[in-house]
Amino acid sequence: MSERDISTICLFDVDGTLTLPRQAISQDMEDCLKWLNKQCVVGLVGGSDLKKISEQMSIGNQSVTDRFDYVFSENGLVAHKKGKLYSQESIVSYMGEEKLQEFINFALRSMSDIKLPCKRGTFIEFRSGLINVCPVGRSCSQAERDQFAEYDKKHHVREKLVQLFQKQFPDAGLSFVIGGQISIDVFPTGWDKRYCLRHIEKDDFKTIHFFGDKTQPGENDYEIYQDERTIGHTVTSPEDTIRQLKQLFT
């Protein structure tokens, strides 16, 4: 067996890339990542908080931060390396409470005017480094999540909200990015998934591969996918991720 290449790292989005949206990792993907970890360094970079990533990527009693060399939750604003938390940013410190509430209040008012097939609860989720805006409500069931995703493809609910936010807050220094099936991530400009690269650059990797499914402009994998420091790979499903990895590393 060839020696592990510690000069190469593969970074992965989670939803739609390693797992189905908000679903647990499959055994096929688990086996693939174990195999890949013998070839090179492996890291995760997701927009979700660590709790959600852990629900999808932890196995048994072993936490996700112990299973992978790097785990970057909230786009890398919360960073773990070899099981240890070593960096954390705060959107409150950046924006201040007054501006934060101004945006949250506007977002809630805007969503209250939208008619959808269904609405549930938790329309705003506050995280350490970003605000997650969800028109259908994050407490929706998987079936309701899928229903909204199909509705959004036809009616562009999230796209219209992004345009509204951009018009209302043109000088706030905020980015509004569509992510996953049901939500919009809001964060200071520059705090997208490229943020994680400042952490791994310190370890002098020669090659940084990134795999993601939301790689079009306005989607939450786009910036890191097209960054000159990475080799970007667009995937269409977890099965496609496995296929591309096998092609790349065998």
Side-chain angles (χ1 to χ4, degrees):
M1 184 177 68
S2 59
E3 191 173 323
R4 189 188 195 216
D5 179 6
I6 60 172
S7 70
T8 296
I9 183 170
C10 284
L11 290 173
F12 296 92
D13 166 56
V14 179
D15 269 4
T17 301
L18 297 181
T19 75
L20 295 174
R22 291 296 299 130
Q23 300 297 300
I25 185 173
S26 69
Q27 188 60 54
D28 285 346
M29 180 60 76
E30 172 66 16
D31 293 341
C32 181
L33 292 180
K34 284 182 179 179
W35 165 80
L36 182 66
N37 196 47
K38 296 176 182 178
Q39 317 300 318
C40 66
V41 180
V42 177
L44 311 180
V45 52
S48 295
D49 57 29
L50 183 62
K51 180 177 182 293
K52 290 184 177 63
I53 292 175
S54 295
E55 289 170 354
Q56 294 173 256
M57 297 299 298
S58 294
I59 297 291
N61 294 324
Q62 190 177 20
S63 71
V64 65
T65 55
D66 290 328
R67 295 182 60 232
F68 297 96
D69 299 280
Y70 296 87
V71 177
F72 300 113
S73 50
E74 303 183 37
N75 293 346
L77 300 168
V78 181
H80 288 79
K81 178 181 178 181
K82 298 187 185 303
K84 305 287 187 183
L85 174 68
Y86 73 98
S87 180
Q88 185 168 357
E89 295 289 349
S90 167
I91 194 171
V92 177
S93 298
Y94 178 88
M95 290 184 66
E97 188 63 37
E98 184 175 347
K99 289 183 179 179
L100 188 69
Q101 287 196 36
E102 181 183 354
F103 171 75
I104 290 173
N105 290 343
F106 181 81
L108 287 170
R109 285 197 300 271
S110 300
M111 287 187 289
S112 71
D113 293 331
I114 298 172
K115 176 76 171 178
L116 297 175
C118 75
K119 284 187 178 181
R120 296 302 177 251
T122 314
F123 302 101
I124 298 287
E125 184 174 82
F126 181 82
R127 301 174 185 170
S128 177
L130 59 84
I131 302 165
N132 184 264
V133 178
C134 182
V136 67
R138 295 202 64 91
S139 65
C140 62
S141 67
Q142 185 62 48
E144 291 162 347
R145 169 186 285 266
D146 294 340
Q147 180 188 50
F148 173 81
E150 288 303 314
Y151 185 85
D152 191 43
K153 287 177 184 177
K154 296 178 182 178
H155 299 280
H156 309 289
V157 175
R158 291 182 294 171
E159 184 179 331
K160 291 174 183 176
L161 274 175
V162 165
Q163 292 170 356
L164 189 61
F165 295 159
Q166 289 171 334
K167 182 179 180 181
Q168 183 69 19
F169 301 96
D171 303 315
L174 294 173
S175 292
F176 310 98
V177 179
I178 292 170
Q181 286 183 300
I182 60 173
S183 61
I184 300 164
D185 287 336
V186 181
F187 47 79
T189 300
W191 286 21
D192 51 66
K193 288 184 179 178
R194 289 174 298 180
Y195 197 92
C196 75
L197 298 178
R198 67 180 63 189
H199 299 304
I200 63 175
E201 279 182 322
K202 300 172 185 175
D203 290 340
D204 296 322
F205 289 103
K206 292 179 181 178
T207 306
I208 303 171
H209 293 280
F210 171 76
F211 296 81
D213 68 316
K214 299 290 185 182
T215 58
Q216 295 301 305
E219 297 181 330
N220 69 349
D221 293 329
Y222 174 71
E223 288 83 5
I224 188 172
Y225 166 80
Q226 57 82 46
D227 191 279
E228 63 182 11
R229 293 168 289 181
T230 69
I231 301 171
H233 306 268
T234 300
V235 302
T236 57
S237 66
E239 292 77 18
D240 186 40
T241 302
I242 293 173
R243 181 186 62 80
Q244 292 195 37
L245 286 171
K246 294 293 186 181
Q247 288 181 344
L248 192 61
F249 287 96
T250 55

